[in-house]
Amino acid sequence: MVLEPNPVNVSHDTYRRECQYHRGIHIEELDFHAILDSMCHDSRLYFDFHNPRKEIKQGTYLNGHSGLARNIYDYFKKTSNIELTELLNGQDFYVKII
Protein backbone atom coordinates (compact mmCIF):
# COMPACT_ATOMS: atom_id res chain seq x y z
CA MET A 1 0.00 0.00 0.00
CA VAL A 2 1.14 3.48 -0.79
CA LEU A 3 -0.07 6.22 1.56
CA GLU A 4 -0.09 9.60 -0.16
CA PRO A 5 0.49 12.88 1.72
CA ASN A 6 -1.48 14.69 -1.00
CA PRO A 7 -4.50 13.19 -2.73
CA VAL A 8 -4.14 11.42 -6.06
CA ASN A 9 -6.93 12.36 -8.47
CA VAL A 10 -8.34 9.67 -10.75
CA SER A 11 -11.07 10.45 -13.25
CA HIS A 12 -14.32 8.55 -12.80
CA ASP A 13 -16.05 8.88 -16.15
CA THR A 14 -19.23 7.14 -14.98
CA TYR A 15 -19.75 9.72 -12.23
CA ARG A 16 -18.21 12.50 -14.36
CA ARG A 17 -15.89 13.65 -11.61
CA GLU A 18 -12.45 13.24 -10.16
CA CYS A 19 -12.03 10.88 -7.22
CA GLN A 20 -9.38 11.70 -4.63
CA TYR A 21 -7.46 8.92 -2.95
CA HIS A 22 -4.93 9.04 -0.13
CA ARG A 23 -3.97 5.40 -0.53
CA GLY A 24 -3.21 3.20 -3.46
CA ILE A 25 -1.40 0.19 -4.76
CA HIS A 26 1.04 -0.11 -7.65
CA ILE A 27 0.69 -3.34 -9.65
CA GLU A 28 2.66 -4.71 -12.58
CA GLU A 29 0.70 -4.67 -15.83
CA LEU A 30 0.95 -8.45 -16.34
CA ASP A 31 -0.24 -9.12 -12.80
CA PHE A 32 -3.21 -6.81 -13.25
CA HIS A 33 -4.22 -8.52 -16.48
CA ALA A 34 -4.10 -11.83 -14.60
CA ILE A 35 -6.27 -10.34 -11.84
CA LEU A 36 -8.82 -9.18 -14.42
CA ASP A 37 -8.80 -12.61 -16.07
CA SER A 38 -9.48 -14.29 -12.72
CA MET A 39 -12.55 -12.15 -11.94
CA CYS A 40 -16.03 -13.58 -12.15
CA HIS A 41 -18.39 -11.95 -14.65
CA ASP A 42 -20.17 -9.77 -12.06
CA SER A 43 -16.90 -8.53 -10.55
CA ARG A 44 -15.59 -7.62 -14.00
CA LEU A 45 -18.79 -5.70 -14.80
CA TYR A 46 -18.45 -3.73 -11.56
CA PHE A 47 -14.77 -3.01 -12.30
CA ASP A 48 -15.71 -1.80 -15.79
CA PHE A 49 -18.45 0.40 -14.30
CA HIS A 50 -15.85 2.21 -12.18
CA ASN A 51 -13.21 2.30 -14.94
CA PRO A 52 -15.03 2.61 -18.28
CA ARG A 53 -12.86 2.68 -21.38
CA LYS A 54 -9.60 2.82 -19.41
CA GLU A 55 -6.69 1.01 -20.99
CA ILE A 56 -4.76 -1.37 -18.78
CA LYS A 57 -1.22 -0.28 -19.56
CA GLN A 58 1.77 1.17 -17.73
CA GLY A 59 1.03 4.57 -16.24
CA THR A 60 -2.75 4.12 -16.07
CA TYR A 61 -4.52 5.05 -12.83
CA LEU A 62 -7.68 3.15 -11.95
CA ASN A 63 -10.43 3.54 -9.38
CA GLY A 64 -10.32 0.84 -6.73
CA HIS A 65 -13.21 -0.48 -4.65
CA SER A 66 -13.82 -3.24 -2.12
CA GLY A 67 -14.59 -5.93 -4.73
CA LEU A 68 -11.38 -5.18 -6.60
CA ALA A 69 -9.51 -5.19 -3.29
CA ARG A 70 -10.70 -8.76 -2.67
CA ASN A 71 -9.59 -9.85 -6.16
CA ILE A 72 -6.15 -8.28 -5.68
CA TYR A 73 -5.82 -9.82 -2.21
CA ASP A 74 -6.80 -13.29 -3.47
CA TYR A 75 -4.43 -13.07 -6.46
CA PHE A 76 -1.34 -12.15 -4.44
CA LYS A 77 -2.14 -14.64 -1.68
CA LYS A 78 -2.44 -17.43 -4.24
CA THR A 79 0.49 -16.51 -6.50
CA SER A 80 3.00 -15.04 -4.04
CA ASN A 81 1.73 -16.03 -0.58
CA ILE A 82 1.49 -12.30 0.23
CA GLU A 83 -1.46 -11.12 2.34
CA LEU A 84 -2.41 -7.51 1.65
CA THR A 85 -4.86 -7.25 4.54
CA GLU A 86 -4.74 -3.45 4.57
CA LEU A 87 -6.66 -3.53 1.27
CA LEU A 88 -9.62 -5.26 2.90
CA ASN A 89 -10.79 -2.47 5.20
CA GLY A 90 -13.55 -1.23 2.88
CA GLN A 91 -11.84 2.04 1.96
CA ASP A 92 -11.51 2.96 -1.69
CA PHE A 93 -8.08 3.29 -3.26
CA TYR A 94 -6.37 3.89 -6.56
CA VAL A 95 -4.44 1.38 -8.62
CA LYS A 96 -1.45 2.48 -10.67
CA ILE A 97 -0.33 0.11 -13.40
CA ILE A 98 3.47 -0.11 -13.50
Side-chain angles (χ1 to χ4, degrees), residues 31-59:
D31 285 325
F32 201 77
H33 281 289
I35 290 166
L36 291 176
D37 290 344
S38 71
M39 287 181 178
C40 71
H41 177 72
D42 289 343
S43 293
R44 182 58 193 254
L45 285 175
Y46 197 67
F47 170 81
D48 290 338
F49 171 80
H50 284 284
N51 296 287
R53 299 176 300 280
K54 289 198 177 176
E55 288 186 72
I56 308 302
K57 64 179 186 176
Q58 288 183 351

Side-chain angles (χ1 to χ4, degrees), residues 8-26:
V8 171
N9 294 320
V10 180
S11 67
H12 196 302
D13 296 337
T14 303
Y15 294 144
R16 296 185 182 152
R17 66 181 174 96
E18 295 279 313
C19 294
Q20 293 187 339
Y21 302 103
H22 283 280
R23 66 190 207 120
I25 187 166
H26 298 182

Side-chain angles (χ1 to χ4, degrees), residues 1 24-36 38 68-88 93-98:
M1 266 336 276
I25 187 166
H26 298 182
I27 301 177
E28 299 270 343
E29 182 180 355
L30 290 175
D31 285 325
F32 201 77
H33 281 289
I35 290 166
L36 291 176
S38 71
L68 179 58
R70 173 54 68 181
N71 290 116
I72 293 169
Y73 175 87
D74 291 344
Y75 173 80
F76 283 107
K77 181 160 174 59
K78 180 179 178 183
T79 62
S80 305
N81 202 30
I82 296 171
E83 294 189 32
L84 300 169
T85 55
E86 61 271 19
L87 269 177
L88 302 178
F93 59 96
Y94 73 86
V95 175
K96 180 180 180 184
I97 306 300
I98 57 172

